[in-house]
Amino acid sequence: MTKTAPDILRIAVAQLNPTVGDVAGNLAKAREARADAARQGADLVLYTELFLAGYPPEDLVLKPSFLKACEKAVQDVANDTADGGPGVIIGTPLKRRSGTHNSIVFADGGKIIAERYKLDLPNYGEFDEKRVFQAGPELQGPVNFRGVRIGIPICEDIWGDIAVCETLAESGAEILLVPNGSPYYRAKIDVRHQIVIRQVIETGLPMIYANQLGGQDELIFDGASFAIGADKTLAFQMSQFEEAVDVTTWKRKGDSWVCSEGPMSKIPDREEADYRACMLGLRDYVNKNGFKNVVLGLSGGIDSAICAALAVDALGEERLRTVMMPYRYTSKDSLKDAEDCARALGCRYDIVPISEPVEGFRHALTQLFEGTQEGITEENLQSRARGTILMAISNKFGSMVVTTGNKSEMSVGYATLYGDMNGGFNPIKDLYKMQVYALSRWRNSHVPPGALGPSGEVIPKNIIDKAPSAELRENQTDQDSLPPYPVLDDILECLVENEMSVEDIVARGHDRATVTRVEHLLYIAEYKRRQAAPGVKITRKNFGRDRRYPITNRFRDRG
């Protein structure tokens, strides 16, 4: 006798924070989430892309022992479903005769009932899947789960030109469930919604989009899982930057499925989202790599101040040590501002003067430098002395050094190798200077969810209001060497994010000489950026994963 197809299906979306390579830990997370979903009455649990491996696993999938560990974890997941609880759709790499695939395994009733392989492998920006995975040999149809035909495209399968979703619909799929590893950049949620709406229009089927959460090196996965109903409206919306296992209820209405119950979380605005991305990225980098605490140079400037705030929010005041390293050019304002910032955040604050080491270097180089004029070389000695002190503290106490340079400075090389560029991770690496100011003002008025830091003004107003300066010579300001930051940032966004020509940037109202100078500085600083610490990706095109220009490069746009 044939079972009657159900009229209600409860689907749990497991929006979790896996760790790449921690197969046992990810399996434990999956089991805990399934138990939670079972308590909530779920029939099925949808996990994210390559969940058991962590995403992106990169060259780990070339290692046979890693694939073997993932395969065992998959079988463990399948065995768990023998308890009669929820079925499972979980992502994992699988090595089969047709190659190593980015796959999902569908398990129910104590066994694997289906495997599906990703067809469209992304190979742009931060993605490099074609190098380590083989595309699925052919599109397989929907999976019959307890009388419901479920189509399972995997991430890029809904973004690219391959008609995966349409084919699944034509093969009888009733609903589409999509596991994803979609990294954050500003306003990415809107892009995802539009991609899914397009597929819903083309197929007439509702689609559930489950997205990974957490920081993985430079990438931030922001969660924000959601569904679009067959009527093209938002069926549910999960939270951004927060782990969750939410059960959604779907009811059969005629030939379609309609979501009758699910979360409808508010999505943060731009400043909050960027700040929380930076906070999550720093927290996960420090914790997943086993650092107990962090240290940074607190100069009294805006960049180090916001990094200190992010560190306290991400890790707690007891895990941050700040160090002021004054020299003869350090102003009284900077000394006061740094101390006020540390006091507001409640973190440790030490003062280590650098006069002796700097003068020692200068003395050692006196004979070699005889007859030359003082300039950038002597300025950089100050920065490198500070970098050495921070690295010494790191070595002695096991603290990771937080690097504090913004994207505007790194774009044009306004940073010192083996000096202020020292460190393990940079939470503001992909924020332009004006964005740093905007986020600082935002943080003084808000405490983001999950933050461990205090409320109120944590970045003193004077730090935000005063002219930025490296303080490496008397009365120095950044604008002595660079265009005003609003001008510089606009030019850089045109060059870096949008790949615009000099002619088009000038047409926006910028001075041609300034634009060509910024373009030149951008190109010649590539060698510095190759040696920079990793940092959170916030924009569509960050340095490193997204923008890969040659170091040796004589091209200049003179059109």
Side-chain angles (χ1 to χ4, degrees), residues 2 84 119 127 166 232 238 280 287 330 377 499 538 541:
T2 305
L119 291 175
F127 302 110
E166 289 179 77
K232 303 179 284 297
M238 292 175 65
L280 176 60
N287 290 340
T330 303
T377 300
E499 297 286 2
I538 294 293
K541 190 173 287 190

Side-chain angles (χ1 to χ4, degrees), residues 33-56:
R34 182 172 179 269
D36 185 6
R39 287 191 292 270
Q40 296 184 59
D43 301 303
L44 177 64
V45 186
L46 173 63
Y47 297 88
T48 54
E49 183 177 13
L50 291 178
F51 181 82
L52 290 172
Y55 187 80

Side-chain angles (χ1 to χ4, degrees), residues 280-394:
L280 176 60
L282 178 60
R283 175 182 290 158
D284 275 0
Y285 191 87
V286 170
N287 290 340
K288 289 181 178 182
N289 285 291
F291 293 104
K292 293 181 180 179
N293 46 53
V294 298
V295 60
L296 63 81
L298 195 61
S299 67
I302 189 76
D303 296 326
S304 63
I306 194 172
C307 286
L310 283 163
V312 169
D313 284 342
L315 306 169
E317 63 187 46
E318 72 283 355
R319 296 179 69 186
L320 171 65
R321 179 202 293 251
T322 62
V323 186
M324 160 55 94
M325 294 167 282
Y327 187 55
R328 67 177 74 162
Y329 304 122
T330 303
S331 67
K332 290 181 180 179
D333 276 351
S334 292
L335 283 164
K336 181 178 186 304
D337 292 341
E339 185 176 0
D340 288 348
C341 183
R343 185 181 294 113
L345 289 167
C347 60
R348 178 169 177 170
Y349 176 71
D350 296 313
I351 299 177
V352 181
I354 63 168
S355 295
E356 287 189 20
V358 172
E359 295 309 318
F361 281 127
R362 289 170 65 97
H363 178 74
L365 293 165
T366 298
Q367 188 173 349
L368 283 175
F369 287 2
E370 187 177 358
T372 65
Q373 290 187 333
E374 286 196 12
I376 292 176
T377 300
E378 286 72 22
E379 293 179 15
N380 285 345
L381 285 175
Q382 300 167 51
S383 181
R384 291 191 173 115
R386 292 182 173 115
T388 299
I389 288 169
L390 290 173
M391 291 308 300
I393 293 170
S394 173

Side-chain angles (χ1 to χ4, degrees), residues 164-180:
V164 176
C165 296
E166 289 179 77
T167 305
L168 286 167
E170 291 167 359
S171 302
E174 300 173 56
I175 186 170
L176 300 174
L177 274 55
V178 191
N180 295 270

Side-chain angles (χ1 to χ4, degrees), residues 193-194 196-207 226-235 256-257:
H193 282 189
Q194 291 306 311
V196 172
I197 288 171
R198 186 188 74 191
Q199 295 291 358
V200 169
I201 291 171
E202 291 180 355
T203 63
L205 300 178
M207 179 179 286
F226 66 97
I228 301 293
D231 62 355
K232 303 179 284 297
T233 63
L234 187 65
S256 187
W257 287 89

Side-chain angles (χ1 to χ4, degrees), residues 321-476:
R321 179 202 293 251
T322 62
V323 186
M324 160 55 94
M325 294 167 282
Y327 187 55
R328 67 177 74 162
Y329 304 122
T330 303
S331 67
K332 290 181 180 179
D333 276 351
S334 292
L335 283 164
K336 181 178 186 304
D337 292 341
E339 185 176 0
D340 288 348
C341 183
R343 185 181 294 113
L345 289 167
C347 60
R348 178 169 177 170
Y349 176 71
D350 296 313
I351 299 177
V352 181
I354 63 168
S355 295
E356 287 189 20
V358 172
E359 295 309 318
F361 281 127
R362 289 170 65 97
H363 178 74
L365 293 165
T366 298
Q367 188 173 349
L368 283 175
F369 287 2
E370 187 177 358
T372 65
Q373 290 187 333
E374 286 196 12
I376 292 176
T377 300
E378 286 72 22
E379 293 179 15
N380 285 345
L381 285 175
Q382 300 167 51
S383 181
R384 291 191 173 115
R386 292 182 173 115
T388 299
I389 288 169
L390 290 173
M391 291 308 300
I393 293 170
S394 173
N395 292 158
K396 179 63 70 175
F397 300 107
S399 307
M400 188 197 78
V401 176
V402 174
T403 315
T404 61
N406 62 69
K407 189 172 186 176
S408 304
E409 295 170 353
M410 285 307 306
S411 295
V412 294
Y414 196 68
T416 305
L417 274 174
Y418 325 121
D420 58 321
M421 289 178 63
N422 278 2
F425 193 77
N426 183 351
I428 64 168
K429 181 180 180 179
D430 203 30
L431 290 175
Y432 290 108
K433 189 76 169 188
M434 299 311 295
Q435 292 166 352
V436 170
Y437 279 110
L439 264 60
S440 297
R441 294 188 185 96
W442 180 87
R443 177 59 182 88
N444 276 348
S445 302
H446 303 83
V447 181
L452 302 176
S455 59
E457 185 181 276
V458 295
I459 300 174
K461 187 173 183 295
N462 192 54
I463 290 179
I464 296 174
D465 291 344
K466 68 184 179 183
S469 171
E471 294 192 325
L472 299 175
R473 62 175 182 268
E474 200 71 49
N475 298 318
Q476 181 186 30

Side-chain angles (χ1 to χ4, degrees), residues 62-112:
L62 303 178
K63 198 171 187 65
S65 57
F66 178 69
L67 293 176
K68 185 177 179 181
C70 291
E71 189 86 46
K72 181 181 182 304
V74 163
Q75 194 56 59
D76 289 342
V77 169
N79 293 341
D80 290 346
T81 64
D83 63 5
V88 166
I89 298 173
I90 195 161
T92 184
L94 292 176
K95 187 172 181 61
R96 296 294 181 257
R97 288 183 180 179
S98 50
T100 301
H101 301 297
N102 180 334
S103 315
I104 67 94
V105 166
F106 204 141
D108 190 36
K111 61 183 179 181
I112 295 171

